[in-house]
Each structure stands twice: as structure tokens, then as C-alpha cells.
Amino acid sequence: MATLRISVPFGRLLTGSRGAERVCFRARTQPQPDTPLQPLPQPSAVRLLCRWLSSEAAESRSSEMKKPTFMDEEVQSILIKMTGLNLEKIFKPAVQELKPPTYKLMTQAQLEEATRKAIEAAKVRLKMPPVLEERTPINDVLAEDKILEGIETAKYVFTDISYNIPHRERFIVVREPSGTLRKASWEERDRMIQVYFPKEGRRILPPLIFKEENLKTMYSRDRHVDVLNLCVAQFEPDSTEYIKVHHQTYEDIDKHGKYDLLRSTRHFGGMAWYFVNKKKIDGLLIDQIQRDLLDDATSLVQLYHMLHPDGQSAQEAKEQAAEGVNLIKVFANTEAQKGAYIELTLQTYQEAFMSSHSAAS
Amino acid sequence: MRYGLRRGPRVSHLRLRAGARRLTRSLAAGEGLDAAEGGGAARASAWRRRCALRAAFLRCAGVSTGHFWCRQLSLNTFPTASVWALKTTFSNGPLSLQGTRDSRCFTSLSHALQTQCCISPPTSRSGQQYTPYSFFTKLTADELWKGALAETGAGARKGRGKRSKKKRRKDLNRGQVIGEGRSGFLWPGLNAPLMRNGAMQTIAQRSKEEQEQVAADMLQQREEWDRNRRMKVKRERGWSGNTWGGLSLGPPDPGPNGETYEDFDTRILEVRNVFNMTAKDGRKRSVRVLVAVGNGQGAAGFAIGKATERVDAFRKAKNKAIHYLHYIERYEDHTIFHDISLRYKRTHIKMKKQPRGYGLRCHRAIITICRLIGIKDMYVKVSGSVNMLNLTRGLFHGLSRQETHQQLADKKGLHVVEFREECGPLPILVASPRGALRKDPEPEEEVPDIRLDWEEVKATQGMKRSIWSDLKRAST
């Protein structure tokens, strides 16, 4: 029994860092009640396993402390800085029934106050949607009643519609025609919750725009932002489709270099995070350098080093204690795929900078 | 005595006189109307002789059947010209074909004109008759038409003429070819080619079938001409059928110093018949036209023109309007800067600024004027008097006295900031004062000190029970 119990957390070890903590807890707590009752070989094996697991846990814990998540303050601050704050783009005229504008006479102070309020509203609009891992499918069977087989022809879904339960903890079960009573899968759960507690902008069945060919049409029209907004409204952040659509959009942006479409939107952070995780920040870097956003480029490389500290460029940067442009150069020399291109762009930028500097002086 | 058609009564007199039997008698005798009137016997016999000669000649010349001749001013003579200078003319084929044969009473003078005179000594060829010398051949076409149309006369004056009684003059010599005649001879140089393969042609004659074919063609051609002439030219429709409002007159005429106004368009706003009592003629009619011109870029003007004829009044108004142009400031080239409500004499005009895509929802005259100015989105409510002239004057008055954002900023010394619903809380700076920017803000009270409009209040409160509000109309 003990082995059985342990093998389950062993499988979970590979999934997530948090899982490891739970694992070592269970690993440590399990043998203690068992040891007085059972003979030696098992507890020792368990203890060995426990020690190995704890050492693993310790390592993963240490790396977990260094490996930042999306919601870390540092990461968030870097991503927010990179997103930028272009008020014109954030408050682009929405497609709605137009009314004639109102005019106010303001002093400079009042104007600044109004601008500040607008910036605050913009920051609220730029709040990034969460980046989570894919949820594991639910395969829980609650009961098998063979006596009910063949009586009904359709599935029955029972949803708990009490108002004060969080949606994640709601009980939604399905009685199959074969008599099995099982927990509803994630898709079924989302559908049922949308039926009884409709959310604005979300449909019960996913709209046709998320089909492959329609997505391609949207991409060809540079409407990545609309696709992502619809995706955020329709799917849960940890659902398969959400992650799939997001990744597909990011890949398309990377392929065509349309990074500027997402700048000053709430999706830029997610995109940057995705690229850094996939180690594909070259395109984004080049785009930033070309638009004279050197600070953003350096912060991107810093983020990259934060996430992959045992990479070559991170080590070299630490050795050289490189700053600014040198940091980018180090990265370009070591781990970049389009290193030469990055250097070329840097060179052109620097020449332009120098010439403008000399012209100014 | 030269018989001439001088007056109306005489015409009817003629009609009566052109009674069937008399006519047939005269036809048989080869006399014209002249003789029927009762000319002298000697003269009649001399005339008869000349008529016979002429008839013979004309037979040879092959004058087509069913014709009558009118003496034209230009005396165009044949080589063997007789006393009368003749030029063959045609008449309405079928009418003449029938008219000369039957002995019915003719009901209209045109019948008489067309049919009577084809008198000739009886020919075996066809039933067509023609008189080589008759009343109609002694007068010019202009004189005859003048008599027939009766343009001058008491009926035509003082607006008594009925529109349906107006006759149209027709050129009866149209389609004539010298050489084409009833006998169908082919005269080389006239209706046949002179040379053929280097050889000079001789005088030939068409066969009967060919002649009939030629006659049929001519008939068809004349019918086509008549049909085309009768076809009504479609007049462009303005605000509705039969009004002159909303119609375009094209650009004004170029000025004396060579300036052209090609980019200006003129639109008629009102056409009115006005009358003035004079000593001599009594009620004297005059046409008064109100016209607006504009180039769609902010320059527009209006003027009235008055003349006896409508066309002249249009011209006068058009050319006057171009000298009275206003430049109207527009916000982003599609609407006014702010709401304007004014009263001009007894006309109340309330103009509201609207966003893009709203269109012009106003009085049709105001829509026309705004299109000429270049305003594309606006709502205007006109109450009180809707006198066109006062409406136009009031509109231009109000639009010229708009206050642009820059002027407002300079006047108040503060920034003019625009807030749009679709843009959220974003402030858009539209105008900054060119002079000093003052530090103290504009005092803003709890209750704004503006005069409310009861109609507007009713509309906002939902108390207005009008079937005409929110009616779906044509766009712009």
C-alpha cells in the first residue's frame, strides 16, 4: 500500500515544482504511521526514497526560488515597462454608437489631472490576463450503477447552482446512459456554468472564429488583438483552447514580426513571457532595437537571464557584469539564433545615435 | 389678292370654307383655294393654263404623291422654272394619303395645310392629288406657320394660353432631296452617282417596287422624326417631382476678368411667380428665384434673381450669388463647432453638432445648403415661420457667427479639451490659447446657467408623443 501511495506522488514530481513540496510532505508523513507496524525492508526503502525525494525537493525548492513565475513582482514590473503606455492606442475609439463630444475649458493643472486619471484608467485596462499551466483532465467516476443502463437515452448533467460557491468548487456531475455517474469534464463544466451564470462576452459554445481557417483570416488582417480579447472572454485561462490559441497567435506574430500590434495592450506581457520561456526572443529584440527601445531590450535580456540563469549568456553576463548595450551584445554572441542580425541592428542603431548626437552637438 | 392667314377667326372661316364638295370641285377643276374664294374668271383661266403646264412639268419631274408645297423665302428654281418658285415639300404621308381621297370635313387647319393642296389634274398613277399653285404656295413657310401657330394673339397674352393648345412648328422640308420625286427618276449628279466606272450615267427611272420602297422608307423616317420630337425630355427631379427646389444649375458663368467658378455648384431653393400691377398691362408676371452656391469646402452664398423668364432669373441669381460668398468654419470638415440656436425674424433655427456618420437630418433646403457648404453631419430643427428666404438668411447668419475652438481658447485663456465617449477618459487637447494661459479655472456651478428648451426637455423625459420623431428617413 505504501509503495502504491508513493508511486503516485512520484509521477507527480515531474509535473510541477509545487507538486514536489506536496510530494515530500506525503513521503515524509507516510512512513511514520507505517514504521511501527511493518517490518524493516519497507521502511528503509521508503526512507531511502524519502531522502532522495527530499534532496530532489530541496534542489527544486532552491531552483524554484530562483525561477520566477509570471506573477512575480519583478517579472510583472519588467513586463509592464515593456508594454508601454500609449494612451492614444489604449483609448482607441471603440466601435459603438457615437455621441457628440463634450468640451471643457481647463487650466494646465486640470489638464494634467485629467491625463493622470486617464493613465490610471489605462493601467487598469492593461492588467494582464493570468498565464497558467494547462489543467489536467478530470476523469473521476463517482458511481457505476449498471441497473440504470439502457433506461435513458441521453446524458443528464446535474449542476449545483448555489450562488455562494466559487465556480471552481462547484459540483457538476454527469449521469451517462450506461449508468455511470462521473464528474463533468472541464469543457462540460465551462458550458454548464455559462448556462446558469452567464458571463458577458462569453458564449455557451465557442464561436466559429476559433477555427483554424478563420484564425488565419484574422491574422492576415492583423487582428491579433481582437482574437486574443475574444479568447480571454471565451475560455478559462488554464483551458487547452485558451493556451493553444494564445500560442498560435504568438507564433504568428513572431513569424511576421508584428510585435507592435500588441504593444500597449494587456497581451504584450503574456507574449514576452511565452517567448522568453521558449527562448525565442530574437525577433522581439530586433524589433525593440529598431524602434529605439533600448531599455526595453535590455530588460528583456535581463528577464531572459532571470528565467534561464544556467544558460551560457547568463553566466557570461554575470562574469562581465555587463550593462545596457553590452548585455545585448553578450546575449547576441552566445545564445541567440539570429545573433549576427542583432549585432547588425545594434550597430546601425549606434551609428544613427552617434550621428544624431554629433548633429545635436 | 394674296390670301394670307392673318387671324384666328379667319382660319376657322377657312376651315369651314374648305368644305368637302367645294374642295373636290376645285380639285377637279384644278383650282386652288384662291379660286374657291371666288377669284376672277379671267385670272382663273390663266391660272388654269399655268397650272396645267406646271402639272405636266411636275409629272415629268416625278413629284411624289400626296405632297403639298409651300413657297419658301429662298426662291430656288428649277431649270425650267415657272412663275412660282417652288420647292417640293412633304407632309404627313398617311394623313395626306387619306385626306385627299375622302371627302370628310377637315377638323383642323393642319389637316387643311397638309392635305388640301396636293391637287393636280387627275392622274392614273395614284389617287394622290396635288395643287401646284394654291394658297399655301403663295406664302412663305414662316408666314404660314405664324398663322397656324397663332403665337401672337390675345389668347397668348396675360397668361391666358393653355399649355395643351401650344402647337409646335415642324420643318417640312426636312429629308428632301432634289431629284427625288413621284416618278422615281434617277438624275445623275442629284440622286444617283454621276460617274460609274469612269462612264457618265444616263437618266434612269426606278422601278415601281423600288419607288414604293423609297416612299416607304421616307414614311418610316418621317415617323421616326415625329416620334423623337414627341418624346419628352426627362427633367431631373429635385426635392420632388415638379418642384424646382434642389435642382442644380451647374457652376456660375465665368467672370469678366477670366475667373472661372468650376468647383462651385448652384442649387435652386425656391422658384416663385410674383406679380406686379402696372398701369399699361395690368398684372405683370415675374419669376423670382432663390439660389445658393457653394464649393463644398466652406465657401457658400445665396442670392435671389428676378426676371420675366425663368431661365433669365436662374442666370441672374446664379451670377449674383457668386458675389455674396460666406466662408463657414467647420469642425474636422464634417460638422459645426457647437450647438447654435437662433431666431431670425420669425424663423427659429436650432442646430446641433453631431458625430461622423450621423448625416444631415434637417429641412430639405438646409440639407441642400449644407451639402454646398460641406457640412456632412448635423441636426437642425426649424420652428415658427419656414419662409425660404428668412430660413436661408438665418442659417447663414448663424453659421457665420460660429466660435471656433481656437477663438474660444483665446477668449477664455484656457485649454479647450474634448472628451469622447468612445475614447473613454482620455482628454484630447483641441485648442490652446495663443496668448496667456490663465491659472484660475473656469467656475463651474452645480446647476448650469443655461436656458433649457421645453421641446428638448420633453424629448429627453419621454413626454413627447410625436410620430415624426425618430422616423427612418433616407440617408443624408
Side-chain angles (χ1 to χ4, degrees), chain A residues 185-203:
Chain A
S185 66
W186 283 113
E187 288 82 31
E188 285 164 355
R189 283 185 67 89
D190 287 337
R191 271 211 320 265
M192 286 299 120
I193 290 165
Q194 179 59 16
V195 167
Y196 296 112
F197 302 98
K199 196 168 141 192
E200 203 194 315
R202 194 176 279 206
R203 295 210 176 162

Side-chain angles (χ1 to χ4, degrees), chain A residues 87-88 91-94 96 98-108 110-111 114-115 118 121 125, chain B residues 331 353-356 405 412 414-423 425-427 429 437-441:
Chain A
L87 286 177
E88 310 286 317
F91 292 115
K92 209 169 58 162
Q96 61 179 67
L98 293 174
K99 268 169 46 180
T102 48
Y103 292 91
K104 278 207 177 122
L105 290 161
M106 291 179 161
T107 57
Q108 188 66 30
Q110 279 174 321
L111 182 63
T115 325
R125 278 205 196 187
Chain B
Y331 171 72
K353 177 192 174 103
Q354 295 296 345
R356 244 181 246 278
H405 292 317
K412 296 274 183 178
L414 292 168
H415 292 298
V416 175
V417 179
E418 180 186 77
F419 288 94
R420 284 177 187 257
E421 280 251 352
E422 60 267 18
C423 289
L426 178 72
L429 185 65
L437 177 68
R438 66 170 215 234
K439 297 279 170 64
D440 53 313

Side-chain angles (χ1 to χ4, degrees), chain B residues 281-345:
Chain B
D281 307 313
R283 271 182 103 210
K284 183 164 168 226
R285 191 188 90 125
S286 182
V287 184
R288 184 184 79 187
V289 177
L290 175 65
V291 134
V293 299
N295 68 349
Q297 310 293 330
F302 66 98
I304 49 164
K306 241 164 78 159
T308 317
E309 284 302 314
R310 195 174 50 215
V311 191
D312 299 328
F314 287 161
R315 185 184 39 84
K316 282 188 187 175
K318 210 166 63 165
N319 297 332
K320 193 168 156 195
I322 202 74
H323 289 90
Y324 288 87
L325 291 177
H326 303 251
Y327 181 73
I328 291 157
E329 301 275 356
R330 294 167 295 159
Y331 171 72
E332 287 189 1
D333 290 349
H334 74 99
T335 189
I336 46 177
F337 279 94
H338 52 84
D339 294 355
I340 306 166
S341 54
L342 68 136
R343 174 177 66 91
Y344 183 81
K345 294 196 180 180

Side-chain angles (χ1 to χ4, degrees), chain A residues 91 112-122, chain B residues 425:
Chain A
F91 292 115
E112 276 156 19
E113 173 71 25
T115 325
R116 196 183 53 78
K117 281 211 186 101
I119 290 173
E120 278 177 22

Side-chain angles (χ1 to χ4, degrees), chain A residues 206-272:
Chain A
L208 295 172
I209 208 161
F210 294 112
K211 293 238 163 78
E212 284 299 325
E213 50 282 354
N214 298 331
L215 279 179
K216 282 200 179 50
T217 323
M218 292 288 268
Y219 295 151
S220 66
R221 291 184 190 174
D222 286 354
R223 292 181 65 182
H224 302 77
V225 184
D226 298 329
V227 168
L228 290 175
N229 284 335
L230 280 166
C231 185
V232 170
Q234 181 65 35
F235 302 116
E236 293 286 310
D238 49 359
S239 65
T240 343
E241 297 93 5
Y242 179 98
I243 292 171
K244 192 173 79 120
V245 171
H246 272 71
H247 288 202
Q248 209 175 346
T249 316
Y250 298 149
E251 289 297 327
D252 189 82
I253 290 175
D254 190 35
K255 196 165 79 164
H256 297 142
K258 296 177 182 168
Y259 306 98
D260 202 45
L261 286 173
L262 292 196
R263 212 163 259 138
S264 287
T265 60
R266 56 184 177 150
H267 306 287
F268 191 84
M271 182 181 75

Side-chain angles (χ1 to χ4, degrees), chain A residues 53-104:
Chain A
L53 284 168
S54 57
S55 61
E56 278 291 311
E59 253 187 67
S60 62
R61 241 184 303 135
S62 57
S63 65
E64 184 216 322
M65 292 224 289
K66 281 194 208 147
K67 189 172 167 75
T69 56
F70 186 70
M71 303 312 295
D72 277 353
E73 292 233 1
E74 257 186 57
V75 174
Q76 283 288 305
S77 64
I78 293 176
L79 292 173
I80 287 170
K81 195 160 68 87
M82 280 208 289
T83 312
L85 200 72
N86 183 7
L87 286 177
E88 310 286 317
K89 192 170 169 186
I90 298 169
F91 292 115
K92 209 169 58 162
V95 177
Q96 61 179 67
E97 172 104 24
L98 293 174
K99 268 169 46 180
T102 48
Y103 292 91
K104 278 207 177 122

